[in-house]
Amino acid sequence: TQLLEQSPQFLSIQEGENLTVYCNSSSVFSSLQWYRQEPGEGPVLLVTVVTGGEVKKLKRLTFQFGDARKDSSLHITAAQPGDTGLYLCAGGRAGGTSYGKLTFGQGTILTVHP
Amino acid sequence: KAGVTQTPRYLIKTRGQQVTLSCSPISGHRSVSWYQQTPGQGLQFLFEYFSETQRNKGNFPGRFSGRQFSNSRSEMNVSTLELGDSALYLCASSQSGTVRSGANVLTFGAGSRLTVL
């Protein structure tokens, strides 16, 4: 069974602080995705990384895929209250019949206080 | 274009009953996946349908079943409900079965929140 360990589970910070969320596995994934979910809604895709060592930036968010494609991180610079939510990492495998099957981490609940 | 639509959004059932949840994917998307989300277990994969065929199944008991229609709409059914089935059930659609970049890109609906009493 492929598992994704996500840490920390909870993060409570002040506006303007930086933070990093980690996603680790002993398995190799062909892609790693990060989602953000707000209460009462489904997860919304933030980014997909597919190449080992890949770094993607989305405004104040920086995503990195590990060289061995087993881990990923999400770094938020100068967090804002609007960043509050549940952040989920999810690993996918290409090929075969696994297209719609993602393995999710447990999630990180981020609260940014004004 | 319209997103993934799930109905009903909320429902309450009692133990032993059964429930059917519906999912309408984004127009043109042929793959529909279902996930169960609970505070303790997070998001867990239930099953995936593509062109009316189940091509992937998660580790859930046989009480959980699904199907997909010719218009790609999908339903999932849970029979003989148990308290532990209380969860947010999420449906996600994706465009096709070919993944050139190695990325499985899913678009999720808002979910159906099931409470079993």
Side-chain angles (χ1 to χ4, degrees):
Chain A
T1 304
Q2 295 178 303
L3 291 174
L4 272 173
E5 300 288 336
Q6 195 172 334
S7 62
Q9 271 191 285
F10 303 94
L11 206 47
S12 179
I13 61 173
Q14 294 296 126
E15 182 176 2
E17 292 184 9
N18 302 331
L19 66 111
T20 303
V21 179
Y22 299 93
C23 187
N24 297 293
S25 175
S26 58
S27 303
V28 175
F29 290 98
S30 61
S31 69
L32 208 300
Q33 300 169 19
W34 286 90
Y35 291 83
R36 179 166 165 253
Q37 185 177 18
E38 298 193 44
E41 300 296 329
V44 175
L45 180 67
L46 294 173
V47 77
T48 299
V49 285
V50 298
T51 305
E54 183 177 3
V55 177
K56 280 192 175 179
K57 292 191 176 183
L58 187 67
K59 296 183 181 178
R60 294 176 295 100
L61 278 60
T62 302
F63 305 86
Q64 187 164 10
F65 201 10
D67 291 340
R69 293 188 295 158
K70 293 182 179 181
D71 56 88
S72 180
S73 64
L74 156 62
H75 182 79
I76 301 179
T77 303
Q80 299 176 359
D83 296 327
T84 293
L86 172 66
Y87 289 81
L88 296 156
C89 64
R93 300 188 68 183
T97 59
S98 305
Y99 304 111
K101 180 179 181 180
L102 295 178
T103 300
F104 279 85
Q106 286 291 90
T108 296
I109 298 175
L110 170 64
T111 305
V112 182
H113 301 280
Chain B
K1 54 185 175 181
V4 178
T5 303
Q6 291 190 246
T7 57
R9 288 293 309 275
Y10 304 92
L11 66 167
I12 300 173
K13 294 285 187 178
T14 56
R15 281 180 298 175
Q17 287 187 311
Q18 72 165 14
V19 66
T20 299
L21 309 177
S22 178
C23 173
S24 293
I26 291 173
S27 178
H29 284 196
R30 295 165 63 191
S31 169
V32 173
S33 302
W34 288 89
Y35 288 80
Q36 181 195 64
Q37 186 176 27
T38 59
Q41 299 296 320
L43 271 101
Q44 293 188 291
F45 174 77
L46 280 158
F47 28 65
E48 180 201 1
Y49 288 87
F50 180 78
S51 292
E52 302 179 65
T53 301
Q54 186 185 89
R55 65 178 181 182
N56 236 325
K57 191 177 190 306
N59 189 26
F60 278 82
R63 299 185 296 107
F64 292 81
S65 63
R67 59 178 176 169
Q68 186 181 33
F69 302 95
S70 58
N71 61 358
S72 292
R73 190 177 70 85
S74 178
E75 289 181 347
M76 68 162 283
N77 183 276
V78 187
S79 63
T80 319
L81 285 165
E82 301 177 359
L83 295 178
D85 297 333
S86 294
L88 180 66
Y89 289 88
L90 292 161
C91 165
S93 74
S94 59
Q95 194 160 19
S96 74
T98 58
V99 185
R100 294 178 188 175
S101 66
N104 318 46
V105 181
L106 306 182
T107 302
F108 283 87
S112 292
R113 180 160 303 276
L114 169 66
T115 301
V116 182
L117 303 176

